[in-house]
Amino acid sequence: MVWNPKDPWSKRTDPLEDVLRQAQERWGPRLPSGGGLRGAILVLVAILFIWQGTFIVAPDEEGVVKRFGDVVRTAGPGPHLKIPFVETVERPKVEKLHRLEIGFRTDRQGRQQMLPKEALMLTGDENILAVEFIVQYKIKSARDYLFNVDEIEETIQKSAEAAMREVIGKSKIDEALTTGKAQIQQDTQTLLQGILDSYQAGVQIAAVQLQDVDPPEAVVAAFKDVASAKEDREKLINQSQGYRNDIIPKAKGEAAQVVNQAKGYAQARLTRAQGEANRFLRTLKEYNQAKDIISKRIYIETMEEVLPGIEKVIVDGKAGDRLLPFLPLERQRQGAKAPAASAEKKDSP
């Protein structure tokens, strides 16, 4: 008889006994009867409660326990208890290094394909670059990572793209292609971490790594021409600097030599002028003492100087009326030298 709650005098039956009776009627003698079946079900129920009331957190995980949708606590690595059928546990891997690709995607065969919508960025000097990079991150707060931000990976990806666009927008194309890559990576990581912290995303950015930074395919040829022209310009600048480094020291040396020669010439002229002035003063002193003699002497010396190699004759004006006014000075000098030379020959052995 089925128990009717509206008839308190009816004969009540246990619902569990009804279930057991129906199961025995259906499967027959294969099921244990009576107290054996009840015990088996109680054991199964106990196992189910134990299974639902315990959980284990792996060493690289953090357990987040929820009760009716609210986070009530977190648990570290190891076994833990929870209320069966009431509390649920999520265990994200907090030690795992997650990886996101921005500007490109890698398929299962390992082939990479650029996504122009994400990769094309404008530089600070109004050039366009295709920037492909990778963001690596870890979970630093499992509670924030799971429940503060919806679509957390998409949020990180969009934030990384925005951060990279801002950094590239402040950089020049030459820096992005050559020596400025390390600084761009560091600036993007710092900016991205600030954005995610403002969202309380519970994420720690481990690295931002540039994969490829190239001009778009449509302007590659023109960009190569520009790069070649810049290389030629740098080459010519280096050659001119080398020529300058070679010619300037020579010019300075020659200039110093000319200056030293001029100083030496000036000193020689000064010394010579002083000597001539001293000579003039001595001559003037002698001239004042014997003007006639000195005048004649100066006259004769001047004639010797202005008329070298010419035989000269001195004529006495007073004796010119009576005698031939002729004085062969050169002959007298030669005559005076000839006896001296003969005397030297005699003295010599």
Side-chain angles (χ1 to χ4, degrees), residues 281-340:
L281 293 174
R282 290 195 301 269
T283 304
L284 178 61
K285 183 178 179 181
E286 294 176 356
Y287 177 78
N288 291 330
Q289 293 177 356
K291 293 183 179 179
D292 294 337
I293 296 172
I294 297 303
S295 297
K296 291 179 181 178
R297 178 184 171 186
I298 293 173
Y299 178 78
I300 293 171
E301 290 178 354
T302 304
M303 289 297 106
E304 286 288 339
E305 183 175 356
V306 300
L307 299 173
I310 298 176
E311 183 178 1
K312 303 172 185 65
V313 177
I314 297 176
V315 177
D316 188 356
K318 293 179 180 178
D321 297 336
R322 300 185 304 273
L323 299 174
L324 181 63
F326 177 72
L327 179 60
L329 293 178
E330 295 296 331
R331 294 178 183 177
Q332 290 183 357
R333 290 178 182 174
Q334 292 176 358
K337 292 179 180 178

Side-chain angles (χ1 to χ4, degrees), residues 81-243:
L81 298 176
K82 67 182 182 68
I83 301 175
F85 305 107
V86 176
E87 294 181 342
T88 58
V89 180
E90 294 194 27
R91 289 164 288 194
K93 294 186 178 297
V94 295
E95 298 297 331
K96 180 182 178 181
L97 191 62
H98 300 268
R99 181 176 185 271
L100 289 176
E101 298 175 346
I102 296 96
F104 72 103
R105 296 293 185 273
T106 304
D107 58 17
R108 295 181 178 179
Q109 287 74 29
R111 294 172 299 188
Q112 295 182 350
Q113 182 179 6
M114 186 186 72
L115 299 179
K117 186 177 179 181
E118 295 181 0
L120 295 181
M121 299 182 183
L122 187 64
T123 63
D125 50 359
E126 298 182 354
N127 290 289
I128 296 177
L129 286 177
V131 182
E132 301 174 3
F133 63 103
I134 295 172
V135 175
Q136 294 178 333
Y137 68 94
K138 286 185 177 180
I139 300 172
K140 66 177 180 181
S141 173
R143 179 194 299 228
D144 295 341
Y145 178 78
L146 292 175
F147 305 110
N148 281 358
V149 178
D150 190 19
E151 300 294 341
I152 182 65
E153 287 196 356
E154 185 178 355
T155 300
I156 297 173
Q157 192 172 19
K158 296 297 182 184
S159 300
E161 181 183 342
M164 182 61 75
R165 287 187 184 281
E166 181 172 346
V167 174
I168 290 292
K170 295 179 181 178
S171 305
K172 295 183 178 180
I173 186 171
D174 292 338
E175 297 174 351
L177 291 174
T178 56
T179 59
K181 290 184 177 180
Q183 188 62 41
I184 289 174
Q185 292 176 163
Q186 183 61 42
D187 293 345
T188 304
Q189 181 177 349
T190 303
L191 183 58
L192 176 59
Q193 186 66 61
I195 294 172
L196 296 176
D197 288 344
S198 67
Y199 296 160
Q200 296 182 352
V203 170
Q204 178 66 45
I205 301 300
V208 174
Q209 184 177 3
L210 290 170
Q211 290 292 102
D212 290 322
V213 181
D214 296 312
E217 294 181 358
V219 297
V220 167
F223 185 83
K224 289 183 178 178
D225 292 339
V226 174
S228 177
K230 288 182 178 179
E231 290 179 357
D232 293 340
R233 183 191 65 180
E234 294 297 328
K235 181 180 178 181
L236 292 176
I237 290 174
N238 293 333
Q239 289 178 352
S240 61
Q241 288 178 345
Y243 178 72

